[in-house]
Amino acid sequence: WGGPFIPDASFSLSRLAWLRRTDPAAYARARWVLSPKDLVVAALTVAYDILVGGLLVPSLGGLVWRRGTNVGAIAAMAVGTVATLATMVVLGDIFANEPIYVGLVSGLVVYVVGSLLSKPTDPEVLAEWDRRSRGEDTETVLAATAGSA
């Protein structure tokens, strides 16, 4: 080699182009070895679409809407995920943005309707949540720990 060599993308692409011209069989083997990268990108794209289309609405809804319930959240997760995947299949393109939009809208509708039609969260549970959100539970545990030390 004659010294340190750091291959970059243009080097790899020019080598593959040369290999394609000079030895098509070796190029076919190299392409077969390199093809899993495309599958990994596709799998990560589907996972991202499912996470955003299926889980974003119930996650944020649970943080900002006190009337949201676990029934609405679970239903929104299921419907948002199925709607996202179904739209990918109908469009035939997993790299499109439309499946995410369909999942978000359908998840939002189901989250609101499911939460309004189900029994509200018990007021005692909400009061406990509020108390912990204000940090009162942490202060009590710290005071008890400091007093016993």
Side-chain angles (χ1 to χ4, degrees), residues 63-103:
L63 292 172
V64 298
W65 191 38
R66 293 182 59 85
R67 181 60 177 90
T69 64
N70 60 348
V71 172
I74 292 170
M77 287 180 210
V79 170
T81 300
V82 169
T84 301
L85 293 173
T87 307
M88 284 182 192
V89 170
V90 169
L91 292 178
D93 183 13
I94 64 168
F95 298 108
N97 288 330
E98 289 82 4
I100 296 174
Y101 304 146
V102 171

Side-chain angles (χ1 to χ4, degrees), residues 5-101:
F5 173 74
I6 302 172
D8 62 355
S10 63
F11 173 81
S12 301
L13 290 175
S14 64
R15 288 289 177 144
L16 283 174
W18 174 83
L19 189 62
R20 184 177 190 179
R21 286 190 314 269
T22 58
D23 191 355
Y27 174 78
R29 288 190 302 272
R31 185 161 167 77
W32 182 80
V33 169
L34 296 173
S35 66
K37 168 192 66 83
D38 297 333
L39 297 175
V40 170
V41 170
L44 289 172
T45 301
V46 170
Y48 170 78
D49 288 357
I50 290 171
L51 284 172
V52 173
L55 299 179
L56 184 66
V57 168
S59 298
L60 292 179
L63 292 172
V64 298
W65 191 38
R66 293 182 59 85
R67 181 60 177 90
T69 64
N70 60 348
V71 172
I74 292 170
M77 287 180 210
V79 170
T81 300
V82 169
T84 301
L85 293 173
T87 307
M88 284 182 192
V89 170
V90 169
L91 292 178
D93 183 13
I94 64 168
F95 298 108
N97 288 330
E98 289 82 4
I100 296 174
Y101 304 146

